[in-house]
């Protein structure tokens, strides 16, 4: 059981033969609705203002019903209405971000996954505590700028959407950035990026088994980031600095990937460690999560972030990936979430996957 929250108590009044899968219309919603429909669920799209017209263009992903609110915070006051509709909420990056992790935790509607994870992933300090205590290699942190002895990324606290990151190569350059906000300094890891999409099920007891439940790898992507990914076409970063052009890391899309097969052992090992540690720290991470990694030329992984829910990098895989195809056909992360809810409901174990 992941929690005894007010939200879970509301399940007692649910018509469990008619559960409705719902999320905020954004981010991975097309995939979530499409996956839920494939598993036979009704779907409800929470929209801020009128629903975007593009849902009309995708009948296999358009929710059966839209629920319109004026602003994100209003969702907090709609718990009764949503629960009357037998809604199970699926968190995604934009849903948690726009509502705020603290508000999201308070939302009294049964929600897929363990909401206690939010406090651990929304703080860079706690995230590092979790990953490092699990035995995961992270980029080195520099406590004082004077210690900078290699290329680093200066990350401003609260930097959103990849803005507010600076690459500096030494202390002299750092002084020119002249930061006025709080920041952290992280070693710049040179290598290739892999965003690993896992799924942990506490109730599936076959496959890659953990101390409880099992771990799956559903897909891998790389983010497309503007302007860093394309700025080389205009000249070197040093040249461009003279024109006041600096790299930004704003995500605009996602590219599907596979990884060298020999690295899969380590991929699973890292996922396993992160899940096992989460049991001790906050009762377990449940469902989809992503380790954002860089592999260097010694084939070593460094993890610079964990996202504890479905990530937008799963969007290229609506009809499966080279990894999920080895689990079952036509399997997106959105569909896997729906399958987990279906399975837990049949087993009468919803309280183990919802909070
Ligand atoms: P984040 O907001 O932490 O997901 O980082 C945004 C982007 O910055 C990543 O997708 C990477 O391209 C880059 N990045 C972040 N941390 C590092 C690091 N330690 N070394 C190299 N690149 C990084």
């Amino acid at each position: 059981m992941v929690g005894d929250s007010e939200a879970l108590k509301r399940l007692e009044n649910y018509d469990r033969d008619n559960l409705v899968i719902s999320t905020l219309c954004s981010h991975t919603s097309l995939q979530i609705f499409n996956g839920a429909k494939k598993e036979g669920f009704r779907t409800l799209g929470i929209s801020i203002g009128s629903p975007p017209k593009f849902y009309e263009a995708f009948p296999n992903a358009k929710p059966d019903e839209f629920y319109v609110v004026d602003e994100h915070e209003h969702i907090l006051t709609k718990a009764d209405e949503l629960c009357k509709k037998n809604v199970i909420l699926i968190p995604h990056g934009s849903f948690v971000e726009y509502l705020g992790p603290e508000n999201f935790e308070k939302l009294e509607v049964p929600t897929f996954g363990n909401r206690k994870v939010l406090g651990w992933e929304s703080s860079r300090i706690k995230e590092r505590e979790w990953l490092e205590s699990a035995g995961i290699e992270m980029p080195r942190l520099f406590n004082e700028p004077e210690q900078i002895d290699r290329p680093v990324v200066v990350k401003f606290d609260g930097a959103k959407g990849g803005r507010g990151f600076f690459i500096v190569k030494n202390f002299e350059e750092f002084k020119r950035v002249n930061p006025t906000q709080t920041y952290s300094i992280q070693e710049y890891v040179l290598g290739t990026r892999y965003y690993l999409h896992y799924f942990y099920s506490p109730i599936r007891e076959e496959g890659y088994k953990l101390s409880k439940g099992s771990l799956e790898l559903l897909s891998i992507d790389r983010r497309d980031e503007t302007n860093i990914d394309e700025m080389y076409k205009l000249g070197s970063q040093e040249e461009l600095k003279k024109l006041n052009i600096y790299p930004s890391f704003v995500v605009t899309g996602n590219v599907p990937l596979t990884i060298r097969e020999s690295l899969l052992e380590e991929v699973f090992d890292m996922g396993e460690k992160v899940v096992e540690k989460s049991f001790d720290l906050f009762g377990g991470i449940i469902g989809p999560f992503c380790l954002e990694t860089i592999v260097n030329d010694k084939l070593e992984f460094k993890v610079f972030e964990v996202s504890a829910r479905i990530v937008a990098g799963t969007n290229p895989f609506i009809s499966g990936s080279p990894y999920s195809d080895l689990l079952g056909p036509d399997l997106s992360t959105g569909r896997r979430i729906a399958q987990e809810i279906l399975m837990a409901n049949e087993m009468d174990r919803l309280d183990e996957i919802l909070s």
Side-chain angles (χ1 to χ4, degrees):
M1 174 141 168
V2 291
D4 52 2
S5 64
E6 288 306 311
L8 269 191
K9 286 189 199 129
R10 290 179 177 244
L11 268 183
E12 288 160 21
N13 299 323
Y14 269 43
D15 172 1
R16 290 206 353 227
D17 293 328
N18 288 298
L19 295 178
V20 172
I21 303 281
S22 175
T23 195
L24 184 69
C25 288
S26 176
H27 194 266
T28 36
S29 67
L30 292 171
Q31 186 196 152
I32 291 169
F33 296 137
N34 174 261
K37 282 165 178 267
K38 281 176 180 159
E39 294 300 328
F41 285 104
R42 261 187 75 73
T43 50
L44 178 133
I46 302 172
S47 171
I48 311 300
S50 315
K53 191 175 170 191
F54 67 76
Y55 282 93
E56 302 298 329
F58 302 118
N60 293 343
K62 183 183 162 191
D64 297 298
E65 185 186 345
F66 284 105
Y67 186 82
V68 177
V69 292
D70 292 334
E71 45 192 279
H72 292 96
E73 284 71 28
H74 290 183
I75 301 171
L76 287 170
T77 62
K78 305 292 183 191
D80 288 345
E81 278 179 53
L82 292 169
C83 288
K84 267 192 209 125
K85 291 176 185 279
N86 295 312
V87 155
I88 292 180
L89 293 177
I90 313 298
H92 57 56
S94 306
F95 203 168
V96 176
E97 177 70 34
Y98 297 147
L99 205 58
E102 283 113 38
N103 280 338
F104 199 88
E105 265 191 90
K106 281 190 255 160
L107 199 53
E108 283 186 20
V109 183
T111 299
F112 184 68
N114 180 0
R115 278 186 271 188
K116 293 203 186 95
V117 74
L118 294 174
W120 284 86
E121 60 137 37
S122 60
S123 143
R124 285 210 179 110
I125 296 169
K126 294 195 85 175
E127 175 186 56
R128 188 169 274 271
E129 187 185 327
W130 172 16
L131 295 180
E132 289 192 332
S133 65
I136 298 291
E137 284 289 323
M138 295 189 75
R140 187 182 146 186
L141 203 60
F142 292 85
N143 293 326
E144 302 298 336
E146 289 79 4
Q147 296 172 336
I148 298 174
D149 61 357
R150 64 191 82 180
V152 296
V153 204
V154 181
K155 298 183 173 186
F156 289 127
D157 288 353
K160 294 223 168 72
R163 286 179 222 272
F165 279 19
F166 287 92
I167 299 172
V168 300
K169 299 194 196 68
N170 50 45
F171 181 49
E172 283 311 305
E173 273 187 26
F174 175 86
K175 283 196 279 195
R176 269 177 254 143
V177 172
N178 190 19
T180 48
Q181 307 162 42
T182 49
Y183 57 84
S184 58
I185 305 172
Q186 215 178 68
E187 163 195 12
Y188 185 90
V189 183
L190 193 56
T192 40
R193 290 171 295 129
Y194 296 88
Y195 299 74
L196 311 168
H197 314 145
Y198 300 89
F199 190 96
Y200 168 65
S201 166
I203 58 174
R204 184 172 169 258
E205 296 290 353
E206 57 202 19
Y208 188 96
K209 284 190 203 146
L210 304 193
S211 61
K212 181 186 178 224
S214 65
L215 182 68
E216 296 159 19
L217 177 73
L218 293 181
S219 46
I220 305 176
D221 85 298
R222 177 171 302 146
R223 292 180 188 161
D224 244 353
E225 292 173 329
T226 179
N227 54 23
I228 180 82
D229 287 348
E230 297 289 337
M231 71 187 300
Y232 70 93
K233 288 181 181 165
L234 208 54
S236 73
Q237 285 190 24
E238 288 312 313
E239 270 176 81
L240 294 174
K241 267 185 199 166
K242 289 179 200 134
L243 300 171
N244 229 3
I245 301 175
Y246 291 87
S248 55
F249 298 80
V250 178
V251 182
T252 51
N254 302 87
V255 189
L257 274 186
T258 54
I259 200 164
R260 274 173 83 136
E261 193 165 301
S262 56
L263 291 174
L264 284 176
E265 194 167 340
E266 176 119 24
V267 166
F268 274 94
D269 188 56
M270 290 190 298
E272 177 167 0
K273 286 174 171 159
V274 168
V275 175
E276 293 288 353
K277 192 70 206 178
S278 74
F279 295 143
D280 307 338
L281 294 178
F282 51 86
I285 183 173
I286 286 158
F289 69 99
C290 173
L291 293 183
E292 305 181 6
T293 73
I294 301 172
V295 182
N296 66 19
D297 58 5
K298 296 192 193 85
L299 298 180
E300 297 160 334
F301 280 93
K302 296 249 169 122
V303 175
F304 60 91
E305 202 158 303
V306 55
S307 294
R309 63 187 94 81
I310 186 169
V311 291
T314 59
N315 279 340
F317 308 107
I318 293 274
S319 53
S321 85
Y323 299 108
S324 72
D325 281 352
L326 307 176
L327 282 159
D330 202 16
L331 185 61
S332 66
T333 295
R335 185 170 189 185
R336 183 65 190 82
I337 292 171
Q339 286 180 348
E340 189 79 354
I341 294 170
L342 201 63
M343 189 160 60
N345 196 19
E346 278 167 9
M347 296 163 102
D348 204 15
R349 292 172 71 179
L350 278 175
D351 60 344
E352 291 179 50
I353 59 153
L354 306 179
S355 62

